[in-house]
C-alpha cells in the first residue's frame, strides 16, 4: 500500500464502533434454520464490524419448544423459516404489526399473501425481505427491487427449480424420467414426494413473486399456468439435440400489450441462450429490458448453507439499513393477467416414409397459422421421424393443428409438442 | 385478483405520497451522461411512485458550461460521469465533504482514490455508490456489498472488459488479432486508441475494486499484475478448441493463505466453466465462497443506456435510503498482496516428429515441478504439434521450464504458454 493510502487509512475508522447487539428471533429449525443459526454465530463479528451491530439469536421456535410471544418480545428482527402458510403467516403478520423487521425464505407465503404482508410492513415502517424465497442464493429479488427498480422490465425467464433441472440434465445424458427422478432423490436433490417440484407448482409460485416485483401486479399460484416434466420422455431430449436445443423447465413472466403473462412450461432453448448451459441443480434467471438488454444470474437454488447465505444477506441489509423502510417495491397495480402468450413449438412425430407426407403436415400447420422454421426428417425403414420447429403461435391454434395432424392417415403417433424459446439477439 | 387481495389493496397506499423533488447534479455530459439525463427524465414519475421523491436534474456540468459550485449548492445527489482522476476527484471529494450523496461510474477514481472517498463519505454519513464502474449493468458491486457482505468470499473470476471479449470471440471464429480489433472498432466496441482495453489495464482496475469489496484490502492498479491480448494469435484459439477450451481475458481476485492475489491474464476455460459461454461484448463475474458454492452474473458491460441503467439503480437506492449511510463496506485492512498464484498452463509447440520427443519435454516439465494433465500430439509431415495442459504451478517455474524446452534440439519454436482455469466442480 502506498504512503498516501496508509495515511488515509489512519483517518478512517477501522470497522464501525459496535453499538450493541441486534436481537434476532428464529422461527423454524430445520436444515435451513440450523444453517442460519450457525452462520449468524460464525459471522457475528464480521457483521458487527460491517454494520456496527452484533447479531445475536434471541430465541428459536420449533414445533416442540420455544414461545413465539417471548421470542417476539425479545427480537428486533424475526427470521421465518417454518415454510407453508400457517402458522407462518400469523407469526409474520404479528411480527410486522409489532414493528419487527422480517426476513423469510417462504415462497408460498409471499406468493399467496404478499400484499397483506407488504401492507403490514409499510404501515409499521419496517423491512420485509425474502431473497431466499426465489432461486436460493441467486440475488434476483434484490436486483429486481433495487438495481432494476427504476427501469421497465420486459421479460423474465427463469430456471427456478433445481430438482427439475437436475432431472432434465440427467435425461439429457440418456436416463429416462423415472431413473433420473430416483437419481435426484438419492442425491438429495428431490424430496420423497417430488410432486410440488416436478409438477411445476414450485416454479410457478416463484415466478409469481418475480412478476409482482418486476411489474407491480399481484400474482398468485392460481393465476399461473404451469406444466411439469412428468410427461417428458428421453427421446424428446435426444432428437432435439440434433437441432442444437436443450430442454429446461422455464418460468416466464412478461409484459405484453394487453397485460402480464406468467407461466411455467418445459421449453427448448437454443445453444446460445444464457439459460441453455445451466445444468444440474443450479437455478438461473434472465431479466430483459430495453435499457439493459439482459442480465443473467445463476447459482445454487437450494441447499442449507446456500439458502442460509441468502437469509444472512437479507439480515445484514436489515441491520445496516434499520430505521429505513427497506428496498423499494412497486406499488400494487391490477394489470390483466393473460392466460398465455404466443410461443414457437417443437413438434415430433413418426410418419410413414411416403411422398407427400411433409407437404400434408406443413399444409395443416399453415392453415392453423403456424409457419415452419426448421425441419428434420430421417428415414427409419418404412417409417420416418419428422421434427419441426414452428414460428410463434398461440397454444390453442397449435393444439388444434396437433389434433388434425394426429388424424392424418400416414401419421403413426400423435405429434409431441414442446415450447421453444426463440433467440432474440 | 381475488376479493381478499382487492380489499388489501384498498388499505395499501397506491404508490408513496410524493414529498418533494430530489435534486440531482450531473457532472459530465458524454454518451453516458446524456443517457442518464434522459433516463432520469423518462423515469422520474416511476421513481417518485417507488420512493416518494421525484428526481430532478438541478444542473449539468460540461467542459464548456455550468458551474460546479452552483450545481453543488442546488443538489442533494451528485452524479459524476466525467471519468479520469482530475477534476473528477476534486469534485467528488468536495461533494462528499459537503454532505452530498455521490454516484459515479468512474473505475479509475474508485481504484486509485477509493479509500480517501470512502473515508470522506463515512465522515459525512452520506452514500457513495459506483455500480457502473465495474461490469456496467451487471450488479456485482451491489451483490458483493450487500448480498454477500456477510460471508467470506474465496475467489472472483471476471470477464470485465467487453472490448477484449469481443475481440477474442471474433478470433475464436477464425479472425486474426488485427482484423478482430478493426471489427471491434468498426462496431463501436473498441476505442480508436484501444491500449487501455487490450493491455488488460482496464480490467485490472475493475478487479482491484472487486478485491477491495470482497476482501477489504485496498488494491491499486500498480498492485495488479496484468497481461493483455495483443500477443495472442488465432492458432492459440484454434488448437485449444480441440481440447474443449475457450480463451478469455480473465481477471482473478482470490484469498490465499498468505494474502490476496489480484491479476488479469488471458486464460483458457473448460467448456463447463460458467464464464466459458460469455461471448461478444458481454461481461460476467463469478463469485465463489464455501457458503454459496458460486454465483455468476452476466450482462452488457458497456453502452450508454446500459451504463445509465446501472447509475439509475444507484440513484434509486440513494433516494430510497437517503438518511442512511448506504450499503456496508468492509473496513480497510492491509493484507499482503501476492504477486502471483499457481496456475495450470496450456503449452503449445512445434516439434520434430521423432521418437523420444514427448519423453524429453515431459522430463523437463517434471523436473520443474509441473505434472502434465493432458496431451495432444498431431503429426504435420516432418514436424508434429504438441499441446499440453499442466497441473498448477508457479509462473516462474513454468517460465524456466519453457526456456529449457525451447533449447531442446528438436523443438522448432519456443513453446507458447497460456494459463488454464481448472474446473473445481
Amino acid at each position: 500500500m502506498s504512503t498516501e493510502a496508509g495515511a488515509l487509512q489512519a483517518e478512517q475508522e477501522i470497522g464501525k464502533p459496535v453499538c450493541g447487539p441486534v436481537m434476532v428471533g428464529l422461527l423454524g429449525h430445520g436444515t435451513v434454520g440450523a444453517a442460519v443459526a450457525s452462520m449468524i454465530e460464525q459471522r457475528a463479528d464480521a457483521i458487527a464490524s460491517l454494520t456496527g451491530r452484533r447479531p445475536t439469536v434471541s430465541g428459536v421456535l420449533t414445533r416442540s419448544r420455544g414461545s413465539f410471544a417471548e421470542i417476539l418480545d425479545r427480537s428486533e428482527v424475526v427470521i421465518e423459516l417454518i415454510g407453508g402458510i400457517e402458522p407462518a403467516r400469523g407469526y409474520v403478520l404479528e411480527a410486522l404489526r409489532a414493528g419487527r423487521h422480517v426476513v423469510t425464505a417462504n415462497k408460498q407465503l409471499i406468493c399467496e399473501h404478499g400484499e397483506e404482508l407488504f401492507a403490514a410492513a409499510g404501515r409499521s415502517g419496517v423491512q420485509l425481505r425474502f431473497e431466499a424465497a426465489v432461486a436460493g442464493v441467486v440475488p434476483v429479488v434484490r436486483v429486481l427491487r433495487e438495481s432494476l427498480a427504476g427501469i421497465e422490465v420486459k421479460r423474465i425467464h427463469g430456471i427456478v427449480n433445481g430438482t427439475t433441472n437436475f432431472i432434465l440434465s440427467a435425461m439429457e445424458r440418456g436416463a429416462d424420467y423415472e431413473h433420473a427422478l430416483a437419481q435426484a432423490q438419492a442425491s438429495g436433490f428431490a424430496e420423497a414426494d417430488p410432486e410440488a417440484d416436478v409438477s411445476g407448482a414450485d416454479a410457478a409460485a416463484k415466478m409469481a413473486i418475480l412478476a409482482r416485483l418486476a411489474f407491480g401486479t399481484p400474482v398468485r399460484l392460481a393465476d399461473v399456468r404451469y406444466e411439469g416434466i412428468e410427461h417428458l420422455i428421453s427421446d424428446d431430449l435426444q432428437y432435439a439435440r440434433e437441432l442444437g436445443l436443450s430442454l429446461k423447465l422455464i418460468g416466464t413472466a412478461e409484459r405484453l400489450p394487453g397485460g402480464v403473462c406468467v407461466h411455467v412450461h418445459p421449453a427448448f432453448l437454443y445453444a446460445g441462450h444464457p439459460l441453455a448451459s445451466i445444468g444440474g441443480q443450479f437455478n438461473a434467471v434472465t431479466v430483459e429490458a430495453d435499457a439493459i438488454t439482459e442480465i443473467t444470474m445463476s447459482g445454487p437454488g437450494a441447499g442449507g448453507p446456500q439458502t442460509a447465505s441468502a437469509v444472512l444477506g437479507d439480515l445484514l441489509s436489515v441491520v445496516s439499513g434499520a430505521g429505513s423502510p427497506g428496498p423499494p417495491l412497486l406499488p400494487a397495480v391490477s394489470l390483466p393477467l393473460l392466460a398465455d402468450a404466443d410461443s414457437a413449438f417443437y413438434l415430433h412425430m413418426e410418419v410413414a416414409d411416403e411422398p407427400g407426407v411433409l407437404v400434408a403436415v406443413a399444409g395443416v400447420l399453415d392453415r392453423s397459422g403456424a409457419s415452419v422454421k426448421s425441419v428434420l426428417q430421417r428415414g427409419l425403414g418404412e417409417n420416418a421421424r419428422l421434427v419441426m420447429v414452428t414460428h410463434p403461435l398461440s397454444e390453442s391454434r397449435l393444439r388444434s393443428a396437433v389434433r388434425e395432424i394426429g388424424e392424418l392417415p400416414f401419421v403413426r403417433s400423435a405429434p409431441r409438442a414442446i415450447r421453444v424459446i426463440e433467440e432474440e439477439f
Side-chain angles (χ1 to χ4, degrees), chain A:
Chain A
M1 197 171 15
S2 74
T3 336
E4 193 196 344
L8 286 164
Q9 194 180 329
E11 61 171 314
Q12 196 184 353
E13 302 161 339
I14 303 293
K16 302 244 179 181
V18 177
C19 304
V22 54
M23 303 307 285
V24 180
L26 279 186
L27 313 182
H29 204 262
T31 313
V32 176
V36 168
S38 98
M39 205 176 264
I40 288 177
E41 203 180 330
Q42 277 165 35
R43 306 295 300 161
D45 290 341
I47 293 173
S49 95
L50 274 165
T51 64
R53 301 188 64 197
R54 194 175 205 288
T56 307
V57 174
S58 59
V60 179
L61 184 72
T62 70
R63 249 172 252 199
S64 55
R65 66 187 168 87
S67 139
F68 174 69
E70 280 175 24
I71 290 172
L72 184 65
D73 199 48
R74 285 200 298 263
S75 306
E76 188 176 334
V77 184
V78 170
I79 299 182
E80 184 275 306
L81 302 165
I82 302 169
I85 303 294
E86 293 295 352
R89 173 175 163 272
Y91 290 153
V92 168
L93 264 178
E94 197 175 333
L96 293 169
R97 286 176 181 155
R100 308 305 193 263
H101 303 291
V102 171
V103 174
T104 175
N106 191 329
K107 61 183 170 283
Q108 256 189 293
L109 183 61
I110 298 295
C111 173
E112 297 302 314
H113 297 279
E115 298 315 306
E116 182 182 28
L117 304 177
F118 300 147
R123 278 192 301 270
S124 297
V126 295
Q127 300 194 28
L128 170 61
R129 291 183 178 259
F130 46 91
E131 185 68 73
V134 184
V137 80
V138 181
V140 58
V141 171
R142 185 184 298 274
V143 168
L144 282 175
R145 287 184 79 174
E146 303 180 43
S147 306
L148 303 180
I151 63 164
E152 186 154 319
V153 172
K154 194 166 70 181
R155 185 184 296 121
I156 300 173
H157 278 141
I159 295 173
V160 291
N161 181 276
T163 305
T164 46
N165 206 54
F166 182 97
I167 292 172
L168 292 175
S169 292
M171 288 176 73
E172 213 148 22
R173 293 191 302 269
D176 63 23
Y177 173 73
E178 283 70 25
H179 280 94
L181 172 59
Q183 198 183 322
Q185 287 169 322
S187 315
F189 295 123
E191 313 259 349
D193 176 4
E195 174 60 19
D197 292 316
V198 300
S199 70
D202 174 89
K206 292 167 179 169
M207 292 309 299
I209 295 173
L210 297 185
R212 168 65 179 92
L213 297 179
F215 308 126
T217 198
V219 181
R220 295 183 173 198
L221 183 57
D223 301 317
V224 183
R225 279 194 55 201
Y226 60 89
E227 183 187 320
I229 63 164
E230 311 97 315
H231 62 290
L232 297 175
I233 57 178
S234 51
D235 278 0
D236 292 328
L237 291 91
Q238 304 306 319
Y239 304 156
R241 189 183 276 179
E242 301 181 33
L243 292 169
L245 301 171
S246 72
L247 188 59
K248 306 287 178 193
L249 184 66
I250 298 288
T252 302
E254 59 187 327
R255 197 191 294 270
L256 295 169
V260 164
C261 182
V262 188
H263 60 95
V264 174
H265 285 97
F268 285 114
L269 304 173
Y270 285 95
H273 193 284
L275 300 183
S277 57
I278 305 301
Q281 76 280 18
F282 268 46
N283 280 200
V285 177
T286 294
V287 182
E288 296 169 46
D290 287 338
I292 59 165
T293 318
E294 62 169 29
I295 295 178
T296 304
M297 292 165 275
S298 65
Q306 289 84 355
T307 307
S309 297
V311 169
L312 195 77
D314 278 354
L315 174 63
L316 198 132
S317 293
V318 165
V319 175
S320 67
S324 110
L329 178 77
L330 287 178
V333 289
S334 191
L335 298 173
L337 291 170
L338 309 175
D340 200 8
D342 286 3
S343 171
F345 281 89
Y346 155 102
L347 293 172
H348 156 226
M349 61 206 95
E350 307 271 313
V351 297
D353 199 355
E354 289 169 13
V357 170
L358 185 59
V359 172
V361 170
V364 172
L365 288 170
D366 194 53
R367 284 193 300 280
S368 310
S371 65
V372 174
K373 186 177 173 182
S374 57
V375 177
L376 192 76
Q377 182 165 355
R378 175 165 304 169
L380 299 164
E382 287 183 3
N383 288 349
R385 179 179 303 139
L386 185 58
V387 174
M388 295 177 145
V389 176
T390 71
H391 285 288
L393 77 163
S394 72
E395 184 167 358
S396 56
R397 276 168 175 277
L398 186 275
R399 294 286 162 215
S400 105
V402 162
R403 257 194 315 276
E404 206 179 322
I405 291 169
E407 287 162 8
L408 291 174
F410 48 76
V411 172
R412 304 290 185 225
S413 64
R416 296 182 62 78
I418 296 174
R419 278 149 201 265
V420 176
I421 292 177
E422 303 231 76
E423 284 180 293
E424 300 233 343
F425 305 102

